[in-house]
Amino acid sequence: MTTGEGVAIAPFALAENSDETTAEDSEKAEAGNSAPVSTSWDTDIKNPYNWPAGKKAWQVGMAASAAFLASMGTSIMTSSHSQLMQEFGVTSTAAIVPLSIYVFALALGPVVGGPLSETIGRYLVFLFCVPIGALFVVGAAVTHSFAALCILRFLAGFCFAPCLAISAGVLNETYKPEKRGLPSTLFILTPFLGPGLAPAIGSFVTNRKGWRWTQYTMLFFVAFTMLITIAFGRETYHPVLKRRLAKKLGQPVEPSPPLAKRARQFLTTALIRPIHMLFTEPIVGLVCLYASCEFATLFTFFAAVPYVFQGVYNFSIEDTGLVFLSIVTGCLLGTLTIIICDILLYRPQVPLHPAHMVPPEYRLYPAMIGSLGPPIGLFWFGWTARPEISWASPVVAMVPFAWGNLCIFISTMQYISDTYHGTTVASAASANSFARYGLAGAFPLFTIQMYSTLGIGWASSLLGFIALVLMPVPWVFFKFGKGIRARSKYETASY
C-alpha cells in the first residue's frame, strides 16, 4: 500500500508506474479472464475507476474490515496463555502454538488468494472465505482437544488469509494512483491495528469470560465484515468485469487456458519466482530481511509483554492487555509520518520528472526516518523494565518501535512496488509476505526462553542490535538504488 500512488500490503501490490497496466498486464498474464470489449471501457460506469466516491469507499470498508478480522486473529489469544496451560496441561511454549500456527497460515495468503481471486474474482473470495473461516473459529471455541485447537486455528487463518492477501488489489483496481493516497493510508492502518487492539480486547474477554470467548468475539467481527461485504461489496477485478461486459455485449469470449498452463503460471508467480527473487535480488532480499525482522519483533511483544509486566510490575491480565494500546499509538503516529513525508518530500518530486517516472528511491524517506524507531524503542524497553523504574517508561518505549515498524514496512513496500513492473511486483510482494509471516510465527515460540535466559535487558537488546544492523538498508538503497536496479535480472524502473 502506498500513501501516494502505489499500493502494497500483503502480496499483490502494484506500483504507480505499473498501475495503468494493473488491468492490462494482469489480463495478459491471466489469459482467459480477458475478453474483447468496447473501447469505451475507460469511461464505462462498470469500470471501478469510474464508480461514485461512496461506492468506492465501501470497497475500502470491505477490504479493511476483512484485513482487520484476519490480523486480530493473530493476537487475540495473547492473554489466554495461562488458561491454555491449565486446561490442556501443556507447557508454556506449547501454549503459544495456537497463536503462532495462525500466523503461519497467513503466510499462505499469497499462494491461495492470488490464483483464487484471478479465477473467480475478488468479491467471491471475500464472500465465501470469511464465513468458512468462521466455522473453524467456532470449532476452535468449542474443542476440548489441544491438537484440534491448533489445527482449527490454522484452518481459520488459512481461510482468512486470501482476504488479507488480495485487499491491496481491490484498492489498485478501484482508485487511480492520484486518488489512492487517503484510502490507501486508512486501509493499511487496519491490519496493523489488529495486533495492537486484539490483545487489549482479548485480555478483558479472557479474564471475565474465559479464553473460548476470544474466539466467539471474533465472530462479531466476522458478522460485521459479512454485513459490509453482502450489502456494499462489489467485484473490482478488471479482467472478470471485462469478461462479463463482453458476454453482455454478445462479443466472443476467449476460453479459459488449459489447467496445465494456469498451474505453471501459478507456480512461477506465487512460488518459484518469489523464492528466486528472495535469494538473487538484493532489493527484495534485504527489504524482506529488514521488514521481516521488525515485523517478527513486533510479535515477540505478544509473549514478552505479559512476561515483563506481570512478572516485574504485577499487572493483571486486563492491565497487561491495555499495554498493547501503545502499539496502536505508534501505528497512528507512523501513518501520520508517512502522510507528511508523502506531502512534503515525495509529491514535490512529481512535477520535476516525466509522468509516472519519479525514481522509486524517493519512496524511502519514511523508512529512513523510521529506521531510528526500532533500536531506540527496544533498548529503551529493555533497560527500563525494572521495578525501580515506573511501568510507564517501557510502555512508552513501545511507541517509537511501532512507529518505526510501520514506516519501514509501508515505505519499503512502496519502494518494491515502484521498482518492479507487471506481475513481478506480485512475486516480490509474495516473497515479503512469506518471510514476514514465517518469522513472525516463529519468534513468539522462543521469546519466553530468550527473556528468561538472557534477562529482559539483554533479550530486548539482542533484538535492538538486529534492528541497528539492518538500519542502513533504506539509506543504502536511497544512495545506490538506481545502480542496483540496473543490474537486476528482472524488469525494473530505469529512471
Side-chain angles (χ1 to χ4, degrees), residues 220-298:
F220 291 103
F221 292 92
V222 167
F224 179 75
T225 299
M226 290 308 301
L227 177 63
I228 295 179
T229 301
I230 294 173
F232 304 105
R234 298 293 182 270
E235 181 58 62
T236 62
Y237 190 49
H238 289 204
V240 169
L241 292 174
K242 286 188 175 185
R243 188 180 181 89
R244 292 176 183 173
L245 181 59
K247 287 182 178 180
K248 183 177 180 180
L249 296 176
Q251 296 178 349
V253 177
E254 296 180 9
S256 298
L259 179 61
K261 182 177 180 180
R262 283 185 287 172
R264 283 196 302 271
Q265 180 191 349
F266 160 68
L267 289 174
T268 298
T269 303
L271 293 176
I272 299 174
R273 189 194 291 160
I275 295 174
H276 184 264
M277 295 180 74
L278 193 61
F279 292 101
T280 62
E281 290 288 299
I283 290 176
V284 176
L286 287 174
V287 163
C288 287
L289 179 63
Y290 193 15
S292 299
C293 285
E294 300 316 310
F295 194 72
T297 300
L298 170 66

Side-chain angles (χ1 to χ4, degrees), residues 310-332:
Q310 292 177 13
V312 176
Y313 297 106
N314 297 315
F315 273 27
S316 66
I317 292 178
E318 294 181 2
D319 292 337
T320 302
L322 293 175
V323 170
F324 287 95
L325 294 180
S326 60
I327 293 178
V328 175
T329 302
C331 289
L332 294 173

Side-chain angles (χ1 to χ4, degrees), residues 1-289:
M1 183 216 90
T2 71
T3 57
E5 291 148 0
V7 174
I9 172 169
F12 293 94
L14 292 168
E16 165 197 347
N17 46 26
S18 67
D19 181 79
E20 295 309 322
T21 63
T22 296
E24 298 166 12
D25 282 354
S26 60
E27 289 160 38
K28 294 175 184 176
E30 296 124 20
N33 278 338
S34 59
V37 295
S38 169
T39 56
S40 63
W41 170 252
D42 288 342
T43 58
D44 196 293
I45 191 60
K46 293 182 177 61
N47 185 339
Y49 287 152
N50 302 322
W51 287 351
K55 188 175 182 180
K56 290 184 177 184
W58 281 116
Q59 310 317 304
V60 179
M62 176 182 69
S65 61
F68 181 82
L69 169 66
S71 63
M72 76 173 295
T74 60
S75 57
I76 196 167
M77 295 185 70
T78 298
S79 300
S80 305
H81 183 261
S82 298
Q83 292 188 10
L84 292 178
M85 291 176 62
Q86 295 171 5
E87 178 170 339
F88 295 105
V90 296
T91 65
S92 178
T93 300
I96 300 176
V97 171
L99 182 154
S100 290
I101 203 166
Y102 181 97
V103 180
F104 288 140
L106 293 185
L108 299 177
V111 178
V112 178
L116 186 62
S117 69
E118 291 160 5
T119 302
I120 67 175
R122 314 286 197 205
Y123 178 68
L124 290 180
V125 173
F126 288 99
L127 192 61
F128 290 108
C129 286
V130 171
I132 294 174
L135 295 178
F136 293 117
V137 171
V138 173
V142 301
T143 184
H144 291 279
S145 166
F146 186 74
L149 172 63
C150 294
I151 294 171
L152 290 165
R153 282 275 294 170
F154 178 86
L155 292 174
F158 183 82
C159 291
F160 292 144
C163 299
L164 184 63
I166 66 172
S167 293
V170 172
L171 268 71
N172 271 356
E173 296 149 2
T174 306
Y175 291 91
K176 289 187 176 181
E178 62 272 13
K179 301 292 186 180
R180 200 177 292 153
L182 181 59
S184 296
T185 301
L186 296 176
F187 166 74
I188 190 59
L189 194 57
T190 53
F192 274 86
L193 289 180
L197 288 173
I201 297 172
S203 64
F204 283 85
V205 172
T206 299
N207 191 46
R208 302 186 183 193
K209 301 291 290 185
W211 71 266
R212 296 180 187 277
W213 271 89
T214 62
Q215 304 305 292
Y216 292 133
T217 300
M218 288 188 64
L219 297 180
F220 291 103
F221 292 92
V222 167
F224 179 75
T225 299
M226 290 308 301
L227 177 63
I228 295 179
T229 301
I230 294 173
F232 304 105
R234 298 293 182 270
E235 181 58 62
T236 62
Y237 190 49
H238 289 204
V240 169
L241 292 174
K242 286 188 175 185
R243 188 180 181 89
R244 292 176 183 173
L245 181 59
K247 287 182 178 180
K248 183 177 180 180
L249 296 176
Q251 296 178 349
V253 177
E254 296 180 9
S256 298
L259 179 61
K261 182 177 180 180
R262 283 185 287 172
R264 283 196 302 271
Q265 180 191 349
F266 160 68
L267 289 174
T268 298
T269 303
L271 293 176
I272 299 174
R273 189 194 291 160
I275 295 174
H276 184 264
M277 295 180 74
L278 193 61
F279 292 101
T280 62
E281 290 288 299
I283 290 176
V284 176
L286 287 174
V287 163
C288 287
L289 179 63

